[in-house]
Amino acid sequence: MDFNVKKLASDAGVFFSRAMQFTEEKLGQAEKTELDAHFENLLARADSTKNWTEKILRQTEVLLQPNPSARVEEFLYEKLDRKVPSRVTNGELLAQYMTEAANDFGPGTPYGKTLIKVGETQRRLGAAERDFIHSASINFLTPLRNFLEGDWRTISKERRILQNRRLDLDACKARLKKAKAAEAKAAAEHELRLTQTEFDRQAEVTRLLLEGISSTHVNHLRCLHEFVESQTNYYAQCYQYMLDLQKQLGRFSGTFVGNAESTSPPPAAASPPAVAATTLPAVPTIPVVPTIVGVPNTVAESVLNPNEVKPPASGTRKARVLYDYEAADSTELALLADEMITVYSLPGMDPDWLIGERGNQKGKVPVTYLELLS
């Protein structure tokens, strides 16, 4: 018990001495041992690394999980060392709703068939999102957290110890200056040598930890590359899924549009321009001749045989192909990315399609795969 009291008194004395030294330094009444410029640069670099790592970590978490309630739930499960329950992605939930709606409306109807196709793609998008989130969490978020909760805590602890050692050293210097008697000076000099040794040893330990920030940057750089790679794969998957869906819906468009037109005919009193304005979306880059829905159009029928179609005297344009496109049948023209073709529209054509020509080859091409040039 006596030993504990003495130790408590000693600790209280040290704490009081450090507090006095710190206060006098802030008031400009005491000298402060300054660290060298290299050490200060290491400290600034470490603080910057910590601050930016926290911001990048938090914002990446928001990117991967925009729902704040879900993030809080995942945080609590992690702190309780429990497995986070599997959560359905938004894409998978949308796919479920679309599939249920299609079964209710009738999977054989145009709308139901389209809902099923879109729902399948949404499910695949949701699964791809889940894989991306899992990969990003393991390869990117976990190393950032490990740094903040491991290496940075160690660095912070050693920096606090170094700060205490510096306060002890400066307090000893102050006592040595105030000492008058020879015995007091000798005792102060001995104490100063001890505190100087402890300070130097702690400064070296802290310096080595701070220099390790360079290795942290190298590790985080590797993790960043892995994050970019997983994100690239994720978006490439999504892009391919949507391209496939677009091709499938493009093949159904004629049937669906015809069905919609037969069930919702335009008013008989409507004039041709008015009907066209309400039934056909405008295509500002290629002139499209309007037609009345339900009225036979010989030119529109001839679009089914592109090889027999002749280009109009005016209205042809050059277009650059943005993506590869595989022709669905003999009426379509297969495309290769970055090639140049000539395109034009014909009266009565679906505005989402154009006639494309490449040398002696001719066929329908989707507008969304083209960049029209002036």
Side-chain angles (χ1 to χ4, degrees), residues 202-217:
Q202 185 59 36
E204 183 63 22
V205 170
T206 308
R207 183 193 302 274
L208 291 175
L209 289 173
L210 293 174
E211 289 176 346
I213 291 293
S214 297
S215 299
T216 299
H217 284 192

Side-chain angles (χ1 to χ4, degrees), residues 26-66:
K26 291 298 182 181
L27 297 176
Q29 299 175 356
E31 296 182 1
K32 174 183 176 181
T33 299
E34 299 292 344
L35 301 171
D36 60 77
H38 176 63
F39 202 102
E40 292 289 352
N41 289 335
L42 290 176
L43 289 173
R45 189 162 180 253
D47 288 334
S48 179
T49 300
K50 179 256 186 182
N51 293 334
W52 284 115
T53 300
E54 284 182 333
K55 292 180 180 180
I56 293 173
L57 172 64
R58 299 293 175 257
Q59 194 56 40
T60 305
E61 290 176 335
V62 172
L63 173 69
L64 299 179
Q65 178 50 265

Side-chain angles (χ1 to χ4, degrees), residues 150-333:
D151 294 349
W152 180 253
R153 287 186 178 180
T154 302
I155 291 174
S156 299
K157 176 183 176 182
E158 298 302 327
R159 286 177 66 175
R160 288 193 297 270
I161 295 176
L162 178 63
Q163 173 73 352
N164 291 335
R165 295 288 184 265
R166 186 195 62 75
L167 291 172
D168 293 342
L169 176 63
D170 290 335
C172 287
K173 291 180 179 178
R175 285 194 292 272
L176 178 60
K177 288 183 178 180
K178 295 177 182 179
K180 301 298 182 182
E183 292 183 0
K185 285 186 178 182
E189 288 176 352
H190 176 70
E191 185 180 8
L192 178 61
R193 285 193 296 271
L194 293 178
T195 54
Q196 182 71 56
T197 300
E198 292 178 354
F199 172 77
D200 293 340
R201 185 185 300 113
Q202 185 59 36
E204 183 63 22
V205 170
T206 308
R207 183 193 302 274
L208 291 175
L209 289 173
L210 293 174
E211 289 176 346
I213 291 293
S214 297
S215 299
T216 299
H217 284 192
V218 172
N219 182 43
H220 288 181
L221 174 61
R222 178 183 58 80
C223 297
L224 184 60
H225 278 282
E226 293 180 357
F227 173 70
V228 171
E229 182 178 356
S230 62
Q231 194 172 32
T232 300
N233 293 334
Y234 167 59
Y235 285 120
Q237 281 182 298
C238 294
Y239 173 70
Q240 188 59 52
Y241 292 158
M242 295 309 298
L243 277 185
D244 295 342
L245 176 62
Q246 187 181 49
K247 291 180 181 179
Q248 295 175 23
L249 297 185
R251 294 166 188 169
F252 296 158
S253 61
T255 304
F256 295 163
V257 170
N259 179 275
E261 291 169 354
S262 62
T263 56
S264 303
S271 62
V275 174
T278 57
T279 58
L280 295 177
V283 181
T285 53
I286 295 292
V288 178
V289 179
T291 183
I292 303 177
V293 177
V295 178
N297 190 301
T298 56
V299 180
E301 293 295 329
S302 66
V303 174
L304 297 177
N305 299 297
N307 292 328
E308 301 176 3
V309 173
K310 295 183 179 180
S314 61
T316 61
R317 296 182 63 174
K318 290 293 184 181
R320 185 176 70 87
V321 178
L322 298 176
Y323 325 106
D324 292 346
Y325 177 74
E326 181 180 353
D329 52 46
S330 60
T331 66
E332 296 182 6
L333 180 65

Side-chain angles (χ1 to χ4, degrees), residues 13-30:
V14 171
F15 176 80
F16 180 76
S17 174
R18 290 171 179 170
M20 286 291 296
Q21 178 65 27
F22 182 79
T23 302
E24 290 177 355
E25 288 177 358
K26 291 298 182 181
L27 297 176
Q29 299 175 356

Side-chain angles (χ1 to χ4, degrees), residues 102-118:
N103 293 331
D104 189 19
F105 299 149
T109 64
Y111 185 34
K113 188 183 300 184
T114 304
L115 279 172
I116 291 176
K117 288 295 183 183
V118 177

